[in-house]
Amino acid sequence: MRRLPIYLLIDTSGSMKGEPIESVKIGLDTMLRTLLNDSLMADFSYISIITFDKKVSNILPLTWVKHAVIPNLVPPNSGPTFLGAALELLIDKVDTEVVKRTNSCDGDYPPIVLIMTDGKPSDLSVFEKMCERIKKRKFSKIIACAAGPLSSEEQLRSITDNVVNMCTLDSFSFVKLFDMVCSKFDTNCEYESEAMENLPKEISI
Amino acid sequence: MNIIKLNALDGTQIEFDKDSQAGCGAMKDVYFSPDKSYVVGFFRKPQDNNSRERLQTIVTNYKKMLFENEGGKNIESLFCWPTHIVEYNDGNKVKIGVVCPTYDKKFFFASGKFKGKEQEGKWFASAKLRNKFLESDVKGNWLNYLQVCIKIARAVKRLHAAGLAHSDLSYKNILINPLSGDACIIDIDGLVVPGKFPPDVVGTPDFIAPEVLETMELEKNDKNKKLPQRSTDQHALAVLIYMYLLYRHPLRGGMVCDPSDSDNDEKLLMGKEALFIEHPTNNKNRPLLSSLSKDELPQGNIDLLPYTLVGPYLKELFDRAFIKGLHNPRERPTADEWERALIKTVDLIQPCPNPKCEAKFFVFDNTKYPKCPFCGTSYEKTLPVLNFYYKPRSKGNFMNENIRLMVFEQQSLYKWHIDRNIFPNEKIKDCDRKPVGDFHFIKGKWWLVNRNIEKLVDVTTEPHVEILKKQKVELTEGRKLLFSNNGNLRLAIVQMANDKKRK
């Protein structure tokens, strides 16, 4: 089956300690629950988590959402924010993990990327370079989520026009996002959904 | 009058009347401003640097984060949020105070024996207090309590989304007005942020999460000690919602853990041994009818009024909160899930045909012989149910969404029923709040009138028939209605429940 990869880039630097990381945790929880509650999305969504602080690590490799467990996120007391390096790892992962479309194979859907950060990258020159490289690749959607009371959205706008504040995200925000991404996929595919008693699961008119 | 003038830390001039004490809480003495538009509450104990920094952040950054982002304006009334910090030297020592708006008029009893008193949620959440003390004109109906719960869940959702935890959610810290379906969270000054602002209190009895009670005696630095945080708010929220919808406590049943020591018994009942009174397979904590006083009935009778009367969406969340998640905080439903399930439940509501029914509304359970669970009155008419489907992809079929609307006389159809991209939460636009259709029962038939639906097409059979504005369509078994709004499609399939002719 074609997969929809969802890459989550999570800032775990010192400045995320406190409200920002708590906001990220509940946001991740809400996103995961929304995905699992949507029988269609749950079938083909895959999640990968890349954290970044003074180092970058892929703490959850691309995993089917039904098997994904979000590791505990504990930011250190202080330290830099290598968002540029995280974007570099993202590009590398997207280039190697996402199955490309060929004549004989449909390939995966273009990935969704969610970046959750307070918006202050420390590796600015790498960051700028990576923003350019990101633009050359195909994504279903890139969304930057500004987290915490002191977050800044300015830098995030160089990656994407879709910048939202983490503190307004709820399940409905994710329903809308996934609907929008999903409606662009033009394929017919078989899917199971929970039908209410005496009602058909799906209907064509 | 003994007016004291002060400058708040942000420079704003604050006045309070030292002769006009508004009240005294557990931690603060509270005074009115001369015009009574705000109050100043002085902490009796000195506040350490961490608490002062927390207060400062609450009146600045947290306030901005909550109320100046999308939907923020619509949640302001859900909180009594501190506005300024003051310092006052009363001659002996310098005291720290917080300035808060005075509670809205609607949160005070307007008549009866409690006239002028704050409408603390507690009055409305227990069967005993409701049955014994409250006059029927202040109690409100069951639908009102769903609305109160939506407001509470929404407020907690926004706190949590901002990375904050309340840490002491209880019916004492929430004022409610059932008649208007309003709620307001008070006592915001104890907000908790893990790793930054630790909790001051363990919470209020009845609402403290089991793991907090269980580990209360551990040393402060023991890493197994569980403190109030988001997951304990989630426990308190589930208890609150259960109490407002069923008027009993979910963990106070017939079980006794330590007959010789009542303090220890309480600690075990709410802590380590806590057990849902309506647990489906373990009946150790089922309430003993014989030991309930007459003021606790009928609400205390779980056979007569089982928690399943709240409908399928909320039942599932109660199961997670009190069965799976009672001792496993990660399983507890989030405030967001409660808000969503409560909103979906509003669409399952039916008015009770009995004019004397106190609840006035109930969740239609879709059984063969439906009746109001609160007063036992049978529902006689046929009942149209709209089952909603959406189209996830541009090609392909409509999919069942597990969302339905139970129709009743003169009910309205709203944009959120016909467009999946609109949801009635705090972020909804004003233009999307107006009804777009209504339902009527005329001479034994049910009709939907199109008032302002962009496009409504009856697609039951070919050829499809468009129902223009001001026109109506009859609701019959199997009818398929296609709504479009802003290019978004939603399909409703009509089922006729309680159709005696078909049985």
Side-chain angles (χ1 to χ4, degrees), chain B residues 67-346:
Chain B
F67 306 124
E68 290 178 19
N69 279 302
E70 192 191 0
K73 277 272 160 284
N74 292 329
I75 57 161
E76 268 178 315
S77 65
L78 306 183
F79 299 94
C80 179
W81 201 274
T83 52
H84 307 279
I85 308 293
V86 292
E87 276 181 338
Y88 171 55
N89 190 334
D90 71 353
N92 298 318
K93 55 185 175 186
V94 177
K95 284 182 173 174
I96 290 280
V98 284
V99 181
C100 284
T102 310
Y103 305 142
D104 194 287
K105 243 192 2 261
K106 66 183 167 214
F107 295 117
F108 294 91
F109 285 101
S111 61
K113 61 182 107 155
F114 304 114
K115 193 177 169 185
K117 274 199 163 86
E118 291 159 15
Q119 293 197 164
E120 229 177 54
K122 188 174 183 175
W123 290 105
F124 303 92
S126 104
K128 223 182 213 167
L129 296 176
R130 289 174 71 86
N131 298 345
K132 217 171 165 178
F133 298 108
L134 292 189
E135 273 131 289
S136 56
D137 61 347
V138 299
K139 287 186 202 170
N141 60 50
W142 201 72
L143 176 57
N144 292 144
Y145 287 89
L146 277 182
Q147 290 158 339
V148 164
C149 292
I150 289 173
K151 301 277 170 66
I152 298 171
R154 179 171 298 158
V156 177
K157 172 190 83 174
R158 291 289 291 229
L159 274 181
H160 288 179
L164 312 172
H166 185 280
S167 82
D168 189 14
L169 281 176
S170 81
Y171 46 38
K172 283 179 152 308
N173 286 334
I174 301 177
L175 304 178
I176 72 164
N177 181 337
L179 298 179
S180 59
D182 282 304
C184 179
I185 300 189
I186 60 175
D187 275 347
I188 305 286
D189 30 57
L191 291 182
V192 164
V193 178
K196 196 167 176 185
F197 300 131
D200 299 327
V201 289
V202 290
T204 302
D206 274 354
F207 298 93
I208 304 170
E211 66 275 15
V212 174
L213 278 175
E214 209 184 319
T215 61
M216 212 161 70
E217 263 124 51
L218 297 178
E219 288 296 320
K220 211 176 167 183
N221 296 324
D222 194 315
K223 65 179 192 310
N224 289 319
K225 191 178 174 76
K226 300 286 186 299
L227 293 170
Q229 53 184 296
R230 187 175 68 233
S231 59
T232 64
D233 274 3
Q234 285 166 348
H235 171 77
L237 179 62
V239 174
L240 272 167
I241 294 172
Y242 184 91
M243 292 192 82
Y244 283 131
L245 298 181
L246 296 155
Y247 316 116
R248 58 181 179 241
H249 193 281
L251 309 176
R252 293 195 186 278
M255 188 166 70
V256 178
C257 293
D258 185 348
S260 61
D261 180 344
S262 63
D263 284 351
N264 190 42
D265 187 48
E266 167 75 10
K267 222 175 77 195
L268 292 168
L269 281 174
M270 294 291 125
K272 194 170 172 229
E273 303 294 330
L275 176 66
F276 184 30
I277 58 169
E278 299 185 69
H279 196 288
T281 54
N282 183 345
N283 59 12
K284 262 199 339 226
N285 198 20
R286 284 182 84 78
L288 301 169
L289 269 190
S290 54
S291 62
L292 295 178
S293 73
K294 84 173 197 314
D295 295 319
E296 291 170 287
L297 293 168
Q299 296 94 332
N301 184 343
I302 61 171
D303 294 313
L304 190 68
L305 297 165
Y307 77 115
T308 46
L309 69 83
V310 298
Y313 310 127
L314 293 171
K315 182 211 173 257
E316 192 201 318
L317 297 193
F318 281 136
D319 286 346
R320 273 180 39 212
F322 301 134
I323 300 172
K324 252 178 131 180
L326 190 57
H327 297 284
N328 188 2
R330 283 185 81 121
E331 293 289 337
R332 290 177 190 152
T334 61
D336 177 272
E337 290 178 284
W338 282 112
E339 187 198 21
R340 218 176 158 74
L342 286 158
I343 289 173
K344 280 169 76 177
T345 302
V346 170

Side-chain angles (χ1 to χ4, degrees), chain A residues 13-175:
Chain A
S13 67
S15 59
M16 291 291 284
K17 204 177 160 77
E19 312 85 5
I21 201 72
E22 292 305 314
S23 184
V24 164
K25 284 184 197 167
I26 185 81
L28 287 176
D29 194 25
T30 303
M31 188 198 73
L32 202 63
R33 286 176 201 237
T34 311
L35 277 174
L36 291 172
N37 280 333
D38 185 323
S39 51
L40 174 56
M41 289 296 293
D43 274 350
F44 68 102
S45 297
Y46 282 70
I47 287 189
S48 168
I49 300 181
I50 295 171
T51 56
F52 55 97
D53 38 74
K54 64 175 192 277
K55 62 182 196 307
V56 174
S57 35
N58 188 193
I59 57 166
L60 180 75
L62 201 60
T63 308
W64 188 30
V65 64
K66 289 188 185 176
H67 295 158
V69 179
I70 294 175
N72 198 18
L73 305 167
V74 188
N77 285 327
S78 61
T81 312
F82 290 148
L83 174 55
L87 291 174
E88 192 168 12
L89 181 62
L90 167 73
I91 291 167
D92 179 49
K93 292 283 168 196
V94 168
D95 288 351
T96 54
E97 288 174 349
V98 180
V99 180
K100 302 235 167 21
R101 191 184 184 114
T102 61
N103 287 336
S104 56
C105 150
D106 276 341
D108 291 328
Y109 294 111
I112 295 179
V113 179
L114 281 148
I115 303 165
M116 301 177 174
T117 171
D118 59 1
K120 293 158 189 162
S122 324
D123 53 347
L124 266 179
S125 72
V126 185
F127 173 74
E128 279 159 16
K129 226 182 279 164
M130 291 307 140
C131 288
E132 288 312 307
R133 282 182 60 192
I134 289 270
K135 289 195 177 108
K136 293 187 186 117
R137 279 160 183 79
K138 195 171 180 225
F139 293 96
S140 286
K141 197 103 191 162
I142 301 178
I143 297 167
C145 312
L150 303 172
S151 61
S152 132
E153 299 184 359
E154 204 184 308
Q155 299 279 3
L156 300 176
R157 297 201 184 277
S158 0
I159 320 172
T160 174
D161 295 330
N162 301 304
V163 182
V164 293
N165 197 303
M166 207 69 226
C167 72
T168 67
L169 284 185
D170 57 20
S171 55
F172 184 63
S173 324
F174 288 111
V175 166

Side-chain angles (χ1 to χ4, degrees), chain B residues 473-489:
Chain B
V473 56
E474 194 192 338
L475 302 178
T476 54
E477 178 74 22
R479 183 147 329 251
K480 297 190 185 96
L481 299 173
L482 183 64
F483 301 94
S484 45
N485 186 59
N486 265 333
N488 299 314
L489 297 179

